[in-house]
Amino acid sequence: MGLLDNIVGAISGGGKDNNMMDAIGGLLGGGGIGSLVENFTKGGLGDMIGSWIGTGSNLPISAEQIQSVLGSDQVKAIAGKLGISPEEASNKLASVLPDVVDKLTPDGKIPDVGQNAGGLGDLLKGLKL
């Protein structure tokens, strides 16, 4: 079970918030935050995601940067899961992804998947999606 599966599984209830967590879970996949960091680094945005992981303030990301790093196919797939347009999906991800990564890395480092799996749902319940 991957990090995102643990996140989604720990969040109770249904609705749009769970759909967004499912979509973010798909971004993290089996590699967890590490795979997302790799994608951002390859896309030239390593410093940006590093700010989300670190303990300082989070750098903002634009919908265009989300599109660039994730690619149109992945954004379209997320949009399909959420029942919204790809543009809306990019905007939504740009607004929530920094907070999600920040909350998943409270000590400024990427946790082991098994280390925090039990508390991830509680951690994400407070996020406003």
Side-chain angles (χ1 to χ4, degrees):
M1 185 176 271
L3 176 64
L4 193 53
D5 293 329
N6 289 325
I7 293 168
V8 174
I11 297 172
S12 60
K16 237 180 192 174
D17 290 353
N18 275 352
N19 289 342
M20 191 63 184
M21 286 299 120
D22 283 338
I24 292 172
L27 290 177
L28 298 175
I33 295 174
S35 63
L36 192 62
V37 169
E38 185 177 325
N39 288 341
F40 270 70
T41 301
K42 286 180 183 176
L45 299 176
D47 288 343
M48 181 176 293
I49 197 166
S51 77
W52 306 346
I53 294 168
T55 56
S57 61
N58 296 333
L59 293 173
I61 187 166
S62 70
E64 292 78 19
Q65 289 170 313
I66 289 284
Q67 182 77 28
S68 172
V69 169
L70 300 181
S72 61
D73 288 343
Q74 192 161 22
V75 171
K76 284 179 186 175
I78 291 168
K81 280 186 177 185
L82 297 174
I84 59 178
S85 72
E87 293 77 21
E88 279 184 275
S90 293
N91 285 322
K92 190 67 141 168
L93 284 168
S95 70
V96 301
L97 195 56
D99 287 336
V100 170
V101 173
D102 186 55
K103 298 291 185 199
L104 292 175
T105 56
D107 297 323
K109 58 186 175 185
I110 300 171
D112 294 334
V113 173
Q115 181 182 8
N116 291 327
L120 291 176
D122 292 336
L123 203 59
L124 293 175
K125 282 181 186 174
L127 289 178
K128 299 292 182 207
L129 302 177

